[in-house]
Amino acid sequence: MSSKDQLPAWGGLDKMSDLSRRKFIASSAGVAGSIVSTRAAAESLADVPPREVGADLGARSERSKYVTLARIPEAGPGKRNVDPSDAINSKTPLDKLYGSITPSDLHYERSHSGAPDIDPVKHRLLADGMVRKPLVFTVEDLKAMPSVTRTVFIECTGNGWENWKKADESLSVQNTHGLVSTNEWTGVPLRFLAELVGRERDAHWLLAEGGDAAGVARSIPLTDEILDEAFVAYGQNGEPLRPAHGFPIRLIMPGFEGNLNIKWLRRLKFGDQPWMTRWETARYTQLRPDGRATQFQLRMETNSVITSPSGTMVIRPGYQRITGLAWSGHGKIVKVEVSADGAKSWKEAKLNLPALPKAQTRFQIDWVWDGKPTKIVSRSTDEKGNVQPDRKSFIAAVGTNALFHYSAQQTWSIDDKGQVRNVLD
């Protein structure tokens, strides 16, 4: 393409004037023409492989043999690609996915003692404590109750921990941000269960306990928001939960840290104060700059990341489609801005609608790279007015002693050869 035919450096299609729309269409045709001339010599389908009889219908559909999608097992910050037996989590390939929904088998996994093999017929959920009528539910009991279906993200508090103190330039976005995923979940509203057992008026806390060998249990404040939005799920993307994600039932806490979304749920105990389990004292606390620790930092903050171009990718000068994901534990994303000059200037990206509350939202924007070294970064804003902070502001507020809830803007550098690398700012 000549310089006259180049696409506009910035802007979503919905914001272009009639004139720029015409330029975009013309330049798009130029892009298409250059692709055809450089990559496709034939002007017909004569050289395309002939039609052939396909595989028989099966019990389920598998991915194409030409598609390779996999999570990355990790044993902690900087301890990647370990043997699965040594891993504590497994990260989602954000750079290889489209839209905002994560396939069930690629949803990130975090467990403290592996995924137990639970027979749903034998599994039970006990609801007791400060209630008028303690009850034990079977999985079939729960499935027979009124249900909700909601698309929400779940994010491990350790997401982003690779960049707390320094940036490894060799990391991909799967390495840096692969501990967040969005699924459609189906289950029974927590408020319905609380009313069913007769929660006492002073029962303002809930202990949710899992059925894994580690005995993960968390104290949860029963705010109106949590009572209205939390639910006990048995469905994941239209099918039963996968074992790695809590089969046969788990707690879903929209917008709150992953460890509160208790998997293999077996008990809901109502009380008037937190239980101070090891999971909220020795674990999942945040060390502050002054040496003290913060407990019950439960909500996941406003966040975003560019997934393409992103770390380890190589791009060429010319038109690029910058795309990524944004999310917030406060509500829905209303704006994402992207900078292609190291945060000196910003342009608003287009959101792929609908943007759902407490779910990942995909954003995209046109960009023409001139071949010169630069840095690209995104920042998101949610419906409550929360803006994703730059790294300098974030570290000034929380310091570098912490490990959890990293939500600073993610910067990718691009050198003159088109190599994309992970950097701090």
Side-chain angles (χ1 to χ4, degrees), residues 100-278:
S100 58
I101 299 295
T102 310
S104 298
D105 63 330
L106 296 175
H107 190 293
Y108 89 86
E109 180 182 355
R110 171 72 169 105
S111 63
H112 294 270
S113 57
D117 181 13
I118 296 177
D119 183 344
V121 175
K122 299 178 180 178
H123 191 69
R124 299 292 183 270
L125 172 63
L126 167 65
D128 66 347
M130 293 178 63
V131 298
R132 292 189 296 275
K133 186 180 180 181
L135 293 173
V136 174
F137 304 106
T138 67
V139 175
E140 291 304 313
D141 289 337
L142 297 173
K143 290 180 180 179
M145 295 177 185
S147 67
V148 294
T149 295
R150 184 169 175 184
T151 300
V152 296
F153 76 85
I154 297 179
E155 182 177 16
C156 177
T157 58
N159 202 30
W161 59 11
E162 296 282 4
N163 284 347
W164 266 109
K165 297 184 179 181
K166 61 181 180 179
D168 182 338
E169 292 188 345
S170 69
L171 299 187
S172 68
V173 69
Q174 183 173 9
N175 298 134
T176 61
H177 287 76
L179 291 178
V180 59
S181 301
T182 293
N183 275 187
E184 178 192 85
W185 308 92
T186 299
V188 183
L190 177 60
R191 186 180 289 278
F192 179 84
L193 294 173
E195 293 174 352
L196 201 61
V197 297
R199 176 177 71 99
E200 295 181 8
R201 179 177 299 179
D202 294 332
H204 299 303
W205 285 85
L206 174 71
L207 180 70
E209 178 185 308
D212 58 331
V216 177
R218 290 297 305 269
S219 301
I220 299 170
L222 291 177
T223 64
D224 285 339
E225 176 187 9
I226 289 174
L227 279 168
D228 287 340
E229 296 191 12
F231 55 101
V232 175
Y234 47 78
Q236 177 183 12
N237 287 344
E239 64 175 341
L241 300 176
R242 299 291 178 98
H245 306 301
F247 181 83
I249 55 174
R250 75 173 299 169
L251 186 63
I252 297 294
M253 293 279 296
F256 292 89
E257 64 182 22
N259 188 254
L260 292 183
N261 294 255
I262 300 296
K263 296 185 286 187
W264 317 293
L265 186 67
R266 72 172 189 173
R267 189 180 191 184
L268 295 172
K269 183 176 182 179
F270 296 87
D272 58 3
Q273 58 187 329
W275 278 260
M276 296 299 180
T277 71
R278 67 180 293 252

